């Protein structure tokens, strides 16, 4: 087949390959994971050896050497020892006292606070619901981000030689209803106290949080460490998809946004001071933003997946852990101010906070993100803001993008027709120069043929390269778009998740346990579009070359597996986009491009070049000179 068509088809294949690469862990992550597994195995072996030694010592202490039964351990003594160890573990894990639960709320949030540790113990988002409630209890408008026991925070610092931790302290509670504020106070001594103040403004997803340490002047300069661990609960339809995009993000003071691995366990020390830290899941987030940057010294973050035997494996997403150096004790009175954000990963809401929070949205890197932020997002928001449904908005967005790309598609089609017209001439050149030694001559005549006829293989490849960034940008946009969440269209009950017309009842490897209709329609339309353009495909001329027709027919089948668990909004977009491409192609063939006229125009151009001689550019002249020199050198070598 001609270079133009071959390159275009290969690029389409690369497009699908890139889709999968975007969602796979890179080699560094795999290496990290292997190293972690090796380290954990070493630690497990070391612990096993230590336990074995401890048992030997225990036997020796329980059975004195002067006893006749010195080689036999006493059952009651061993039993009592094990029970005492279990009691110690339970004593450490079970708190002696339970804290008092207080709550503050506004139009967006319900925040539960526990006097034990003075922590945020639970967060509920009003006006949102889990997928389970969306299907089974539509009247419920309260989404639980995390409950009691899921979220733990701890203020740690040194007072002289004594280490103070707020984790187990019971704070006194004071409520200020006018300011919608709760103050937790703990007196370390008569002159020393720790205060934590939470206030919730109206119509906000942010909470003001102040830490005040009074009377610790003897500890001036000591670092204050803030430890925060959270376990987000499942909120969406497919827990695997939530885990695939959930991680810890943070904004460096100088280098901007960075994040830990989304696909595997990961941990990192801060490389520079941090403006804010974010615990992100698919559609909701928690942010902690101090008034002053978090110091890189002693600041660590880790994201961990649950093991299958973990009781939280089917109910929670991931475990988020961080230890943050929030500053130091200053003088008699030390105050550190923060803001918590608990809310949706909605572009408009995040950008309204005006702290680059929208950077957590996975719109893709570099050029792809710019296309999404400054083109696709504004157009899509314009349609949804006019009261149009999300499904209709996607349809209109698709039409606008296809109209924008229509000149490119027209250029590609004209180029493919020109190459099709030149196909007999190209075959004649292949027959004229069958030997490898004549490759240079064949190449020169091929270039002259393209120039004389006004055709170029690159004129079909470049338009394809222009379209690819938009295709990849859309691939990132729809799964990350909060507007699709729990919005129905036609048979799809939730465009942010897959549309299932049939639940199989068992899982098929690489496919899933359901049938997505939008994915099937997308694959069928792609297959039909491939058949439409199959006339421009040639069988491979050289031995060993793959049959591109067969490969292109396999792509739609591969797409069924790739997209079955993806957002139905994304599959719907590609289905409509392919339908639009088919209609545009039919229109171009019928109304814009006459193959016979184009053939005559190319023939006239050839005759004109024959009569007047070809006009060569400086670059082409130099290239021909280089080719002639190479041919002369080859002839000299043959003579030798």
């Amino acid at each position: 087949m001609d270079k133009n068509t071959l390159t275009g088809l290969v690029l389409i294949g690369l497009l699908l390959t890139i889709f999968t690469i975007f969602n796979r862990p890179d080699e560094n992550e795999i290496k990290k994971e292997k190293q972690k597994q090796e380290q954990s195995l070493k630690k497990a072996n070391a612990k096993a050896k230590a336990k074995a030694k401890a048992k030997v010592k225990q036997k020796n202490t329980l059975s004195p050497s002067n006893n006749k039964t010195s080689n036999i351990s006493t059952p009651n003594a061993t039993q009592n020892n094990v029970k005492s160890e279990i009691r110690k573990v339970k004593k450490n894990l079970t708190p002696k006292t339970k804290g008092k639960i207080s709550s503050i709320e506004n139009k967006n949030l319900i925040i539960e606070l526990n006097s034990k540790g003075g922590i945020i113990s639970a967060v509920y988002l009003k006006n949102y619901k889990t997928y389970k409630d969306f299907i089974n209890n539509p009247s419920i408008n309260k989404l639980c981000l995390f409950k009691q026991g899921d979220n733990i925070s701890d203020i740690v610092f040194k007072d002289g030689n004594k280490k103070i931790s707020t984790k187990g302290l019971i704070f006194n509670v004071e409520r200020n209803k006018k300011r919608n504020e709760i103050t937790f106070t703990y007196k370390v001594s008569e002159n020393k106290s720790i205060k934590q103040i939470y206030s919730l403004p109206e119509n906000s997803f942010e909470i003001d949080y102040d830490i005040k340490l009074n009377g610790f002047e003897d500890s001036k300069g000591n670092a204050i460490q803030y430890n925060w661990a959270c376990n987000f609960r499942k909120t969406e339809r497919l827990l695997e998809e939530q885990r695939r995009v959930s991680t810890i993000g943070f904004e460096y003071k100088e280098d901007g946004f960075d994040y830990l691995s989304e696909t595997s366990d990961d941990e990192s020390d801060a490389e520079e001071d941090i403006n804010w830290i974010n615990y992100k899941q698919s559609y909701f987030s928690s942010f902690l933003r101090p008034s002053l940057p978090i110091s890189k010294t002693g600041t660590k973050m880790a994201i961990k997946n649950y093991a299958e035997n973990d009781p939280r494996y089917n109910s929670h997403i991931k475990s988020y852990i961080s230890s943050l150096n929030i500053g130091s004790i200053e003088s008699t009175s030390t105050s550190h101010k923060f803001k918590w954000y608990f809310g949706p990963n909605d572009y408009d809401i995040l950008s309204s906070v005006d702290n680059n929070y929208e950077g957590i949205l996975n719109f893709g890197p570099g050029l792809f993100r710019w296309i999404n932020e400054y083109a696709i997002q504004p157009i899509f928001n314009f349609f949804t803001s006019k009261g149009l449904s999300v499904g209709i908005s996607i349809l209109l967005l698709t039409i606008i993008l296809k109209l924008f790309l229509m000149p490119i598609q027209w250029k590609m089609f004209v180029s493919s027709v020109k190459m099709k017209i030149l196909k007999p001439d190209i075959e004649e050149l292949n027959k004229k120069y069958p030997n490898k030694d004549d490759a240079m001559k064949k190449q020169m005549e091929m270039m002259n043929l393209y120039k004389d006829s006004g055709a170029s293989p690159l004129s079909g490849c470049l338009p394809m390269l222009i379209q690819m960034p938009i295709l990849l940008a859309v691939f990132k946009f729809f799964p990350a778009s909060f507007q699709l969440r729990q919005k129905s269209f036609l048979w799809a009950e939730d465009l942010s998740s897959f549309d299932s017309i049939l639940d199989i009842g068992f899982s098929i490897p690489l496919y899933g346990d359901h049938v997505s209709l939008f994915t099937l329609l997308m694959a069928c339309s792609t297959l039909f579009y491939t058949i439409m353009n199959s006339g421009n495909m040639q069988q491979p001329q050289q031995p060993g070359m793959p049959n591109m027709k067969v490969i292109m027919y396999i792509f739609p089948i591969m797409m069924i597996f790739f997209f079955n668990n993806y957002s139905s909004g994304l599959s719907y977009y590609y289905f409509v986009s392919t339908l639009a491409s088919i209609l545009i192609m039919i229109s171009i063939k019928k109304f814009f491009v006459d193959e016979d006229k184009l053939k005559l125009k190319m023939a006239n151009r050839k005759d004109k070049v024959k009569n007047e001689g070809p006009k060569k550019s400086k670059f082409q002249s130099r290239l021909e000179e280089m080719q002639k020199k190479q041919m002369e050198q080859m002839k000299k070598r043959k003579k030798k």
Side-chain angles (χ1 to χ4, degrees), residues 365-420:
L367 177 62
F368 307 129
R369 184 172 191 87
W370 298 338
I371 292 170
N372 281 325
E373 269 195 283
Y374 302 113
I376 294 175
Q377 175 79 21
I379 296 170
F380 188 66
N381 280 358
F382 173 78
F383 291 130
T384 54
S385 66
K386 297 299 179 182
L388 298 172
S389 71
V390 172
I392 298 298
S393 297
I394 292 174
L395 175 63
L396 294 175
L397 173 67
T398 309
I399 292 170
I400 288 174
L401 290 176
K402 295 309 292 184
L403 289 174
F404 173 76
L405 295 171
M406 186 176 177
I408 296 173
Q409 192 168 355
W410 176 82
K411 186 76 175 173
M412 288 175 62
F413 178 73
V414 171
S415 176
S416 66
V417 172
K418 284 182 177 180
M419 297 303 294
K420 184 180 177 182

Side-chain angles (χ1 to χ4, degrees), residues 181-312:
E181 181 179 281
I182 288 179
T183 301
F184 292 109
T185 306
Y186 181 84
K187 283 205 167 189
V188 178
S189 65
E190 188 176 345
N191 300 319
K192 296 179 179 180
S193 66
I194 302 171
K195 281 190 177 183
Q196 297 183 74
I197 305 166
Y198 298 89
S199 59
L200 182 59
E202 278 297 316
N203 304 319
S204 177
F205 287 98
E206 285 195 301
I207 305 165
D208 294 322
Y209 173 52
D210 295 350
I211 297 173
K212 293 185 177 181
L213 307 178
N214 297 314
F216 293 96
E217 59 269 14
D218 294 340
S219 304
K220 184 178 178 181
N222 287 353
I224 304 170
Q225 206 74 13
Y226 191 85
N227 300 321
W228 176 28
C230 186
N231 301 276
F232 280 140
R233 289 181 171 262
K234 176 186 175 183
T235 59
E236 308 307 314
R237 184 178 193 174
L238 196 61
L239 188 55
E240 289 177 7
E241 282 299 298
Q242 278 199 276
R243 286 177 175 150
R244 188 178 61 82
V245 295
S246 299
T247 188
I248 294 178
F250 41 92
E251 185 184 64
Y252 282 131
K253 189 177 178 181
E254 300 295 334
D255 291 341
F257 181 69
D258 200 356
Y259 58 96
L260 301 184
S261 171
E262 292 180 330
T263 54
S264 60
D265 292 355
D266 195 11
E267 59 184 28
S268 176
D269 293 341
E271 295 178 1
E272 59 179 87
D273 293 351
I274 293 173
N275 291 330
W276 47 255
I277 185 168
N278 160 251
Y279 288 3
K280 171 183 171 284
Q281 52 122 310
S282 50
Y283 290 110
F284 299 93
S285 278
S286 294
F287 285 83
L288 179 61
R289 174 169 56 91
S291 56
L292 297 173
I294 298 164
S295 173
K296 67 177 181 179
T297 307
T299 293
K300 300 179 180 181
M301 296 148 287
I303 185 81
K304 295 185 181 297
N305 289 281
Y306 301 113
E308 288 189 18
N309 59 353
D310 193 299
R312 295 169 295 186

Side-chain angles (χ1 to χ4, degrees), residues 332-348:
T332 306
S333 179
T334 301
S335 179
H336 292 280
K337 294 181 179 293
F338 305 82
K339 282 187 181 290
W340 289 99
Y341 171 93
F342 298 105
N345 295 335
D346 183 284
Y347 183 88
D348 292 334

Side-chain angles (χ1 to χ4, degrees), residues 9-26:
L9 296 175
V10 169
L11 287 172
I12 293 170
L14 286 173
L15 175 64
L16 291 174
T17 307
I18 292 168
F19 285 163
T20 56
I21 291 172
F22 268 139
N23 299 284
R24 289 180 181 175
D26 57 28

